Short mmCIF file of all heavy atoms in Angstrom, two decimals:
data_model
loop_
_atom_site.label_atom_id
_atom_site.label_comp_id
_atom_site.label_asym_id
_atom_site.label_seq_id
_atom_site.Cartn_x
_atom_site.Cartn_y
_atom_site.Cartn_z
N ASN A 140 -12.70 16.63 40.82
CA ASN A 140 -12.66 17.63 41.88
C ASN A 140 -11.22 18.04 42.21
O ASN A 140 -10.88 19.22 42.26
CB ASN A 140 -13.35 17.04 43.13
CG ASN A 140 -13.23 17.92 44.35
OD1 ASN A 140 -12.27 17.82 45.10
ND2 ASN A 140 -14.20 18.79 44.57
N CYS A 278 -18.52 25.02 47.23
CA CYS A 278 -18.74 23.99 48.24
C CYS A 278 -18.28 24.47 49.61
O CYS A 278 -17.19 25.03 49.75
CB CYS A 278 -18.00 22.73 47.82
SG CYS A 278 -17.97 21.46 49.08
N LYS A 279 -19.12 24.23 50.60
CA LYS A 279 -18.80 24.68 51.96
C LYS A 279 -17.61 23.94 52.56
O LYS A 279 -16.96 24.43 53.47
CB LYS A 279 -20.00 24.45 52.89
CG LYS A 279 -21.04 25.53 52.74
CD LYS A 279 -22.13 25.38 53.78
CE LYS A 279 -23.05 26.59 53.72
NZ LYS A 279 -24.35 26.30 54.32
N VAL A 280 -17.36 22.73 52.02
CA VAL A 280 -16.26 21.94 52.57
C VAL A 280 -14.94 22.21 51.85
O VAL A 280 -13.94 22.53 52.48
CB VAL A 280 -16.59 20.42 52.53
CG1 VAL A 280 -15.48 19.60 53.16
CG2 VAL A 280 -17.93 20.15 53.22
N CYS A 281 -14.96 22.09 50.50
CA CYS A 281 -13.68 22.17 49.78
C CYS A 281 -13.51 23.44 48.96
O CYS A 281 -12.43 23.70 48.43
CB CYS A 281 -13.51 20.94 48.88
SG CYS A 281 -14.59 20.95 47.45
N GLY A 282 -14.58 24.20 48.78
CA GLY A 282 -14.45 25.46 48.05
C GLY A 282 -14.50 25.35 46.54
O GLY A 282 -14.28 26.32 45.82
N GLU A 283 -14.85 24.16 46.04
CA GLU A 283 -14.97 23.98 44.59
C GLU A 283 -16.36 24.42 44.11
O GLU A 283 -17.30 24.47 44.89
CB GLU A 283 -14.74 22.51 44.24
CG GLU A 283 -13.29 22.08 44.27
CD GLU A 283 -12.47 22.80 43.21
OE1 GLU A 283 -12.67 22.54 42.04
OE2 GLU A 283 -11.65 23.67 43.59
N CYS A 285 -20.02 24.38 42.83
CA CYS A 285 -21.08 23.37 42.92
C CYS A 285 -22.45 24.00 42.84
O CYS A 285 -22.59 25.21 42.94
CB CYS A 285 -20.92 22.52 44.18
SG CYS A 285 -21.28 23.38 45.70
N ILE A 289 -23.01 21.57 49.11
CA ILE A 289 -21.82 20.72 49.20
C ILE A 289 -21.63 20.02 47.85
O ILE A 289 -22.60 19.59 47.23
CB ILE A 289 -21.99 19.69 50.34
CG1 ILE A 289 -21.92 20.42 51.68
CG2 ILE A 289 -20.93 18.60 50.27
CD1 ILE A 289 -22.22 19.57 52.88
N CYS A 290 -20.39 19.95 47.39
CA CYS A 290 -20.16 19.37 46.06
C CYS A 290 -20.25 17.86 46.11
O CYS A 290 -20.20 17.23 47.17
CB CYS A 290 -18.81 19.83 45.50
SG CYS A 290 -17.41 18.94 46.19
N LYS A 291 -20.37 17.30 44.92
CA LYS A 291 -20.52 15.85 44.76
C LYS A 291 -19.34 15.09 45.39
O LYS A 291 -19.52 14.06 46.00
CB LYS A 291 -20.57 15.58 43.25
CG LYS A 291 -21.00 14.21 42.89
CD LYS A 291 -22.47 14.21 42.51
CE LYS A 291 -22.89 12.76 42.34
NZ LYS A 291 -24.29 12.51 42.41
N ALA A 292 -18.15 15.62 45.22
CA ALA A 292 -16.96 14.93 45.74
C ALA A 292 -17.02 14.86 47.27
O ALA A 292 -16.79 13.81 47.86
CB ALA A 292 -15.69 15.63 45.28
N CYS A 293 -17.33 15.99 47.89
CA CYS A 293 -17.40 15.99 49.36
C CYS A 293 -18.54 15.12 49.87
O CYS A 293 -18.41 14.48 50.91
CB CYS A 293 -17.52 17.43 49.86
SG CYS A 293 -16.00 18.36 49.59
N GLU A 294 -19.64 15.11 49.12
CA GLU A 294 -20.75 14.24 49.46
C GLU A 294 -20.29 12.78 49.46
O GLU A 294 -20.60 12.00 50.35
CB GLU A 294 -21.81 14.41 48.37
CG GLU A 294 -23.24 14.51 48.84
CD GLU A 294 -24.13 14.72 47.63
OE1 GLU A 294 -24.49 13.72 46.96
OE2 GLU A 294 -24.42 15.89 47.34
ZN1 LIG B 2 -16.51 19.98 48.07
#
Side-chain angles (χ1 to χ4, degrees):
N140 173 272
C278 171
K279 280 187 172 160
V280 183
C281 72
E283 283 296 291
C285 70
I289 290 174
C290 78
K291 193 99 188 160
C293 291
E294 223 178 83

